Amino acid sequence: MKINHLTAAEENLMKLFWKLDSFYLKDIMEQHPEPKPHQNTVSTYLKILVEKGYLSTQKEGRIFKYKVLVPLEGYKKFLLKELLHHFFNDSGKEIFELLFNEKLISKEDLKDYFNHLDMNPVKSKAPKLEIANEILNNPKKDKKGKDKKKKKKKD
């Protein structure tokens, strides 16, 4: 699924939608903090977000029920990858250095993170080499699968 960029206003509404997950227009109007936007404005944004693929609609009588299609985590990953690509030359190291140098992440954060990781490497089973062993250990066969016998010259 391709994720599209959101404007600041669309992003602010999506923050509310991510909390609700499934909702009607009246739910948004009730939940939106003051100053509340006009209902027509919200309807326009809902239409745009449906077109961008962030929301889906289901008609229930005369009204629409909206459902979030792009989860918050998906949007966060999209934004981080965009940031990484456009400003950090696709280098996780560069973004990490900035976070660390600007004290946006601490050594304790890193210790906690790495302590929670399973640092034991996964041991994979060695592949069975039955076919290779068969080829290496069997006498040569011709294209039809018959054993080739070496003819010895009689002296």
Side-chain angles (χ1 to χ4, degrees):
M1 169 190 287
K2 184 179 183 302
I3 297 179
N4 298 303
H5 289 275
L6 295 177
T7 65
E10 292 166 349
E11 225 174 70
N12 283 335
L13 281 172
M14 280 303 299
K15 288 177 184 176
L16 175 60
F17 302 160
W18 281 313
K19 290 178 186 174
L20 298 173
D21 188 51
S22 182
F23 53 89
Y24 299 95
L25 177 59
K26 67 176 179 80
D27 297 327
I28 299 164
M29 298 310 294
E30 291 169 1
Q31 296 279 333
H32 200 287
E34 293 292 338
K36 293 186 186 292
H38 192 275
Q39 187 169 329
N40 291 347
T41 304
V42 175
S43 291
T44 301
Y45 278 114
L46 287 169
K47 181 181 174 188
I48 292 168
L49 290 167
V50 168
E51 289 172 1
K52 285 187 173 185
Y54 280 84
L55 303 174
S56 67
T57 59
Q58 182 180 359
K59 191 160 184 156
E60 293 183 0
R62 294 177 48 204
I63 60 173
F64 286 102
K65 184 173 188 176
Y66 296 89
K67 179 155 180 48
V68 173
L69 293 178
V70 177
L72 177 58
E73 288 303 313
Y75 186 65
K76 284 180 184 180
K77 288 177 187 177
F78 165 74
L79 286 179
L80 187 58
K81 287 177 183 179
E82 288 283 303
L83 185 69
L84 194 66
H85 178 70
H86 292 292
F87 296 100
F88 295 95
N89 301 314
D90 292 317
S91 170
K93 183 181 176 196
E94 283 186 34
I95 198 167
F96 173 75
E97 286 174 352
L98 177 73
L99 290 170
F100 195 72
N101 292 337
E102 293 295 317
K103 296 182 178 25
L104 297 171
I105 192 167
S106 68
K107 287 181 183 179
E108 289 75 30
D109 292 336
L110 292 174
K111 284 178 188 175
D112 289 344
Y113 176 76
F114 285 111
N115 285 338
H116 287 93
L117 288 180
D118 183 16
M119 298 303 282
N120 297 326
V122 177
K123 293 182 182 179
S124 61
K125 294 180 181 177
K128 293 183 179 181
L129 303 173
E130 294 169 359
I131 295 173
N133 288 333
E134 185 178 318
I135 292 169
L136 293 172
N137 296 327
N138 284 342
K140 291 185 180 181
K141 295 184 178 186
D142 66 5
K143 291 180 183 177
K144 294 179 184 176
K146 297 179 182 175
D147 289 336
K148 286 186 179 179
K149 294 180 182 176
K150 290 186 180 179
K151 294 182 183 177
K152 294 184 183 178
K153 289 185 181 179
K154 293 183 181 179
D155 292 315

Short mmCIF file of all heavy atoms in Angstrom, two decimals, residues 1-22:
data_model
loop_
_atom_site.label_atom_id
_atom_site.label_comp_id
_atom_site.label_asym_id
_atom_site.label_seq_id
_atom_site.Cartn_x
_atom_site.Cartn_y
_atom_site.Cartn_z
N MET A 1 0.84 -1.17 0.00
CA MET A 1 0.00 0.00 0.00
C MET A 1 0.89 1.24 0.00
O MET A 1 1.79 1.36 0.81
CB MET A 1 -0.90 -0.01 1.24
CG MET A 1 -1.61 1.31 1.46
SD MET A 1 -2.46 1.46 3.03
CE MET A 1 -3.82 0.38 2.78
N LYS A 2 0.65 2.14 -0.93
CA LYS A 2 1.41 3.37 -1.01
C LYS A 2 0.79 4.40 -0.08
O LYS A 2 -0.41 4.60 -0.08
CB LYS A 2 1.40 3.90 -2.44
CG LYS A 2 2.27 5.14 -2.62
CD LYS A 2 2.24 5.59 -4.07
CE LYS A 2 3.13 6.76 -4.31
NZ LYS A 2 2.87 7.93 -3.51
N ILE A 3 1.64 5.01 0.72
CA ILE A 3 1.18 6.03 1.65
C ILE A 3 1.52 7.39 1.06
O ILE A 3 2.62 7.60 0.56
CB ILE A 3 1.83 5.86 3.04
CG1 ILE A 3 1.41 4.52 3.65
CG2 ILE A 3 1.44 7.01 3.97
CD1 ILE A 3 2.03 4.24 5.00
N ASN A 4 0.57 8.31 1.10
CA ASN A 4 0.76 9.66 0.57
C ASN A 4 1.02 10.64 1.70
O ASN A 4 0.66 10.39 2.85
CB ASN A 4 -0.50 10.10 -0.20
CG ASN A 4 -0.78 9.21 -1.38
OD1 ASN A 4 0.06 9.05 -2.26
ND2 ASN A 4 -1.96 8.62 -1.41
N HIS A 5 1.62 11.76 1.34
CA HIS A 5 1.88 12.81 2.33
C HIS A 5 0.57 13.45 2.79
O HIS A 5 -0.41 13.51 2.03
CB HIS A 5 2.77 13.90 1.72
CG HIS A 5 4.16 13.45 1.50
ND1 HIS A 5 5.11 13.50 2.49
CD2 HIS A 5 4.77 12.91 0.43
CE1 HIS A 5 6.24 13.02 2.03
NE2 HIS A 5 6.07 12.65 0.78
N LEU A 6 0.56 13.91 4.03
CA LEU A 6 -0.58 14.61 4.59
C LEU A 6 -0.19 16.06 4.88
O LEU A 6 0.95 16.35 5.23
CB LEU A 6 -1.02 13.97 5.91
CG LEU A 6 -1.57 12.55 5.85
CD1 LEU A 6 -1.88 12.05 7.25
CD2 LEU A 6 -2.81 12.49 4.97
N THR A 7 -1.17 16.96 4.75
CA THR A 7 -0.95 18.34 5.17
C THR A 7 -1.03 18.37 6.70
O THR A 7 -1.47 17.40 7.33
CB THR A 7 -2.03 19.27 4.58
OG1 THR A 7 -3.30 18.90 5.14
CG2 THR A 7 -2.08 19.20 3.06
N ALA A 8 -0.64 19.49 7.27
CA ALA A 8 -0.69 19.62 8.74
C ALA A 8 -2.13 19.46 9.25
O ALA A 8 -2.36 18.80 10.26
CB ALA A 8 -0.11 20.96 9.16
N ALA A 9 -3.09 20.04 8.55
CA ALA A 9 -4.50 19.94 8.97
C ALA A 9 -5.00 18.50 8.88
O ALA A 9 -5.70 18.00 9.77
CB ALA A 9 -5.37 20.86 8.12
N GLU A 10 -4.61 17.81 7.79
CA GLU A 10 -5.01 16.41 7.63
C GLU A 10 -4.39 15.55 8.72
O GLU A 10 -5.05 14.67 9.28
CB GLU A 10 -4.58 15.90 6.25
CG GLU A 10 -5.32 16.53 5.10
CD GLU A 10 -4.66 16.28 3.75
OE1 GLU A 10 -3.51 15.79 3.69
OE2 GLU A 10 -5.31 16.60 2.73
N GLU A 11 -3.13 15.83 9.03
CA GLU A 11 -2.44 15.09 10.08
C GLU A 11 -3.13 15.28 11.44
O GLU A 11 -3.30 14.33 12.19
CB GLU A 11 -0.99 15.57 10.17
CG GLU A 11 0.00 14.46 10.27
CD GLU A 11 1.42 14.97 10.20
OE1 GLU A 11 1.87 15.62 11.17
OE2 GLU A 11 2.07 14.70 9.18
N ASN A 12 -3.53 16.52 11.74
CA ASN A 12 -4.22 16.79 13.01
C ASN A 12 -5.52 16.03 13.11
O ASN A 12 -5.85 15.49 14.17
CB ASN A 12 -4.46 18.29 13.18
CG ASN A 12 -3.21 19.02 13.59
OD1 ASN A 12 -2.30 18.44 14.18
ND2 ASN A 12 -3.13 20.30 13.26
N LEU A 13 -6.27 15.98 12.03
CA LEU A 13 -7.51 15.21 12.05
C LEU A 13 -7.22 13.72 12.16
O LEU A 13 -7.92 13.00 12.88
CB LEU A 13 -8.34 15.49 10.80
CG LEU A 13 -9.13 16.80 10.82
CD1 LEU A 13 -9.76 17.07 9.46
CD2 LEU A 13 -10.21 16.76 11.89
N MET A 14 -6.19 13.24 11.46
CA MET A 14 -5.85 11.82 11.52
C MET A 14 -5.49 11.40 12.94
O MET A 14 -5.79 10.28 13.35
CB MET A 14 -4.72 11.48 10.55
CG MET A 14 -5.14 11.30 9.10
SD MET A 14 -6.43 10.05 8.81
CE MET A 14 -5.65 8.55 9.39
N LYS A 15 -4.87 12.29 13.71
CA LYS A 15 -4.54 11.96 15.10
C LYS A 15 -5.81 11.61 15.88
O LYS A 15 -5.81 10.67 16.68
CB LYS A 15 -3.80 13.12 15.77
CG LYS A 15 -2.38 13.28 15.28
CD LYS A 15 -1.72 14.49 15.91
CE LYS A 15 -0.33 14.71 15.33
NZ LYS A 15 0.30 15.93 15.86
N LEU A 16 -6.86 12.33 15.62
CA LEU A 16 -8.15 12.04 16.26
C LEU A 16 -8.72 10.74 15.69
O LEU A 16 -9.21 9.88 16.44
CB LEU A 16 -9.13 13.19 16.02
CG LEU A 16 -10.56 13.00 16.52
CD1 LEU A 16 -10.60 12.78 18.03
CD2 LEU A 16 -11.42 14.19 16.14
N PHE A 17 -8.62 10.56 14.38
CA PHE A 17 -9.17 9.35 13.74
C PHE A 17 -8.44 8.10 14.22
O PHE A 17 -9.07 7.05 14.38
CB PHE A 17 -9.08 9.45 12.22
CG PHE A 17 -9.79 10.65 11.63
CD1 PHE A 17 -9.47 11.09 10.36
CD2 PHE A 17 -10.77 11.34 12.33
CE1 PHE A 17 -10.12 12.19 9.80
CE2 PHE A 17 -11.41 12.43 11.79
CZ PHE A 17 -11.08 12.86 10.51
N TRP A 18 -7.12 8.18 14.42
CA TRP A 18 -6.37 7.02 14.90
C TRP A 18 -6.85 6.59 16.29
O TRP A 18 -6.86 5.42 16.60
CB TRP A 18 -4.87 7.29 14.91
CG TRP A 18 -4.25 7.17 13.53
CD1 TRP A 18 -4.44 6.16 12.64
CD2 TRP A 18 -3.35 8.08 12.91
NE1 TRP A 18 -3.70 6.38 11.50
CE2 TRP A 18 -3.02 7.56 11.65
CE3 TRP A 18 -2.77 9.28 13.31
CZ2 TRP A 18 -2.14 8.18 10.77
CZ3 TRP A 18 -1.90 9.90 12.43
CH2 TRP A 18 -1.59 9.37 11.17
N LYS A 19 -7.27 7.56 17.10
CA LYS A 19 -7.80 7.22 18.43
C LYS A 19 -9.16 6.53 18.31
O LYS A 19 -9.47 5.62 19.08
CB LYS A 19 -7.94 8.49 19.29
CG LYS A 19 -6.62 9.08 19.72
CD LYS A 19 -6.84 10.35 20.52
CE LYS A 19 -5.52 11.03 20.82
NZ LYS A 19 -5.73 12.33 21.46
N LEU A 20 -9.97 6.98 17.36
CA LEU A 20 -11.32 6.45 17.21
C LEU A 20 -11.36 5.15 16.40
O LEU A 20 -12.20 4.30 16.64
CB LEU A 20 -12.22 7.49 16.52
CG LEU A 20 -12.42 8.81 17.27
CD1 LEU A 20 -13.18 9.80 16.40
CD2 LEU A 20 -13.14 8.58 18.58
N ASP A 21 -10.50 5.01 15.41
CA ASP A 21 -10.38 3.88 14.50
C ASP A 21 -11.59 3.73 13.57
O ASP A 21 -11.44 3.60 12.37
CB ASP A 21 -10.12 2.57 15.23
CG ASP A 21 -9.80 1.44 14.26
OD1 ASP A 21 -8.90 1.64 13.41
OD2 ASP A 21 -10.45 0.39 14.33
N SER A 22 -12.78 3.76 14.09
CA SER A 22 -14.00 3.65 13.29
C SER A 22 -14.98 4.69 13.85
O SER A 22 -15.17 4.76 15.07
CB SER A 22 -14.57 2.24 13.42
OG SER A 22 -15.70 2.10 12.64
#
